[in-house]
Amino acid sequence: MPGDLIPLADARSRVLAETAPLPSERVPVDAALGRVLAEDVSSPHDLPPFDASAMDGYAVVAGPAAELAIVGESRAGRPAERRLAPGEAIRISTGAQVPAGADAVVPVERVAAGDGRVEVPDTEPGANVRRAGEDVRGGEPVLGAGSDLGPAEVAVLASLGREQVACGARPRVAVLVTGDELVPPGRPLGPGQIRDSNATALAAQATRAGAHVESIEHVPDEREPTVTALERALAAADVVCVSGGVSVGEHDHVKAALAAVGAEEAFWGIALKPGKPTWFGRAAGALVFGLPGNPVSAMVTFHLLARPALRALAGADPADTRARAVLDAPVHLSPAREQAIRCRLEAADDGWHVRPTKAQGSHVLTSMLGAGALALVPAGEGTVPPGERVDVELLSPGTLSA
Ligand code: AMP
Ligand code: MG
């Protein structure tokens, strides 16, 4: 590990400096959920497209109470065939076009009808009419490039008549998991062996970040297999995440393998707890993250560094998880390293509050359970008292707007 650890903020800037959006692609709106919009979308026409009734009732010319002749019907999708003249009413359904000549709708509950005639009360112009363009005017911008497409966004795109939209490509991610001690779920544990959880964690995080997980490969702690696995990963992916083996132990081969494939190092070592032995660079046109093997360190560094890269590649805002919150428990500062503390996130009258989930060891994977945010506490001496506001990184994007 180098002596000169870089601050997390610098590490993030270096990652984002290497990251430009991938080319966009056209995607059917039905398949666009979770994608990032890559075009500005405006409405091709007024929404609603015509004056429509908000009630079941009678379309009339607004005015004093009167008895009117019923001269036709306007149903949803089947407008009336003639215009309305004073003294006349047209039966109308919710969502049906208000006939030419009419300027108000009287709800069915407020009339007495029979024998081809209807008695209506005093009516104001515009009553119970949804005006054309009341929601969106033709030509008005509705969604901007970079928007995350959730259920509301895809629904609005459908309401504008869009079948397809330009979306940022899903970045392709390859996960390489190193460690001779690792056993995947489903096989018995031998002496000294542990479960591989990073393959599952990193693939899940990449998927959540909108990426497509191209491959997951287990690599033994040996140099040659690490080199060839890295070559395969680089050929298949935009982003390669290597778990473990990136420290300076005798059986850590990732750095040497990266050098062997001609990777250019942007940094190695962050002043961050957990997450110190993190490597980042570029090789064969892909971004490579060498993430620490400890399960919490791997997830934290993925979230703080690889996720922003994936978001930026997809054309989205990489900083959408930043917020501030009140710390509800004291935190002991670490003299040389910023800390990313797994916290429960709770809403209170004065905004968001955080408190550590449990013991914070980098091997304590269950400290991630129930963690809605990482509190980012700068390096320093002493203790941060409860009540201080700190930067937090939301683990579930969209939490604050939910
Ligand atoms: P390393 O970065 O390879 O030195 O690993 C650091 C620690 O993380 C060791 O205790 C490893 O056993 C553990 N570790 C490495 N990879 C994984 C993994 N995929 N799943 C769970 N623990 C791991
Ligand atoms: Mg290892």
Side-chain angles (χ1 to χ4, degrees):
M1 187 62 37
D4 48 345
L5 302 176
I6 66 166
L8 172 62
D10 290 3
R12 272 172 91 110
S13 314
R14 289 191 206 184
V15 167
L16 293 175
E18 294 292 330
T19 310
L22 297 167
S24 63
E25 58 196 22
R26 295 195 72 74
V27 176
V29 167
D30 284 350
L33 184 68
R35 303 285 290 242
V36 178
L37 193 61
E39 62 173 306
D40 293 326
V41 174
S42 50
S43 181
H45 50 63
D46 283 351
L47 258 188
F50 48 83
D51 288 352
S53 178
M55 305 289 273
D56 292 324
Y58 291 84
V60 300
V61 180
E67 187 184 304
L68 307 170
I70 301 169
V71 297
E73 183 175 19
S74 179
R75 293 170 58 177
R78 279 197 249 162
E81 275 157 20
R82 50 163 291 186
R83 56 177 296 130
L84 186 93
E88 295 177 342
I90 285 182
R91 236 192 330 268
I92 194 162
S93 321
T94 305
Q97 183 161 13
V98 175
D103 62 359
V105 170
V106 185
V108 70
E109 298 85 350
R110 301 193 52 214
V111 307
D115 228 8
R117 302 192 68 78
V118 59
E119 283 175 40
V120 300
D122 290 357
T123 315
E124 295 292 323
N128 302 307
V129 175
R130 302 170 180 160
R131 289 274 172 225
E134 199 174 273
D135 185 351
V136 182
R137 287 254 165 241
E140 199 179 305
V142 181
L143 287 167
S147 302
D148 285 302
L149 298 180
E153 287 75 17
V154 292
V156 166
L157 288 169
S159 80
L160 301 178
R162 296 297 298 262
E163 284 182 282
Q164 299 198 323
V165 277
C167 291
R170 279 190 194 279
R172 298 162 305 155
V173 171
V175 177
L176 288 190
V177 177
T178 74
D180 287 344
E181 73 280 31
L182 301 174
V183 178
R187 289 212 227 124
L189 281 182
Q193 293 185 322
I194 60 164
R195 293 288 175 205
D196 165 25
S197 56
N198 291 354
T200 305
L202 298 174
Q205 287 180 291
T207 303
R208 263 294 157 81
H212 174 73
V213 178
E214 219 31 73
S215 61
I216 302 174
E217 201 177 328
H218 289 87
V219 188
D221 288 323
E222 290 163 38
R223 193 189 133 107
E224 267 326 293
T226 308
V227 172
T228 50
L230 203 47
E231 284 168 344
R232 276 191 296 277
L234 289 169
D238 304 301
V239 174
V240 175
C241 292
V242 187
S243 146
V246 78
S247 292
V248 289
E250 205 180 322
H251 305 291
D252 291 335
H253 298 283
V254 171
K255 281 202 73 213
L258 284 164
V261 299
E264 285 171 46
E265 177 178 307
F267 62 77
W268 182 42
I270 308 176
L272 176 68
K273 192 176 171 184
K276 181 164 76 165
T278 300
W279 189 98
F280 170 70
R282 226 173 216 296
L287 303 179
V288 183
F289 293 88
L291 305 176
N294 270 307
V296 175
S297 316
M299 290 194 77
V300 165
T301 50
F302 182 98
H303 188 76
L304 295 174
L305 296 164
R307 180 184 182 276
L310 295 174
R311 295 277 294 159
L313 286 169
D317 174 9
D320 64 336
T321 40
R322 272 300 157 95
R324 302 269 294 167
V326 177
L327 199 56
D328 276 348
V331 166
H332 300 297
L333 294 170
S334 166
R337 287 196 278 161
E338 183 173 347
Q339 294 181 80
I341 297 168
R342 281 76 75 203
C343 286
R344 215 166 279 292
L345 183 67
E346 276 162 10
D349 288 347
D350 62 344
W352 290 97
H353 284 234
V354 285
R355 71 166 58 240
T357 49
K358 63 186 285 190
Q360 296 283 309
S362 60
H363 58 295
V364 183
L365 186 53
T366 55
S367 68
M368 293 293 292
L369 293 178
L374 301 171
L376 297 177
V377 180
E381 303 287 340
T383 302
V384 186
E388 289 276 304
R389 267 183 196 276
V390 294
D391 282 333
V392 300
E393 178 80 24
L394 302 171
L395 287 165
S396 306
T399 308
L400 297 188
S401 55

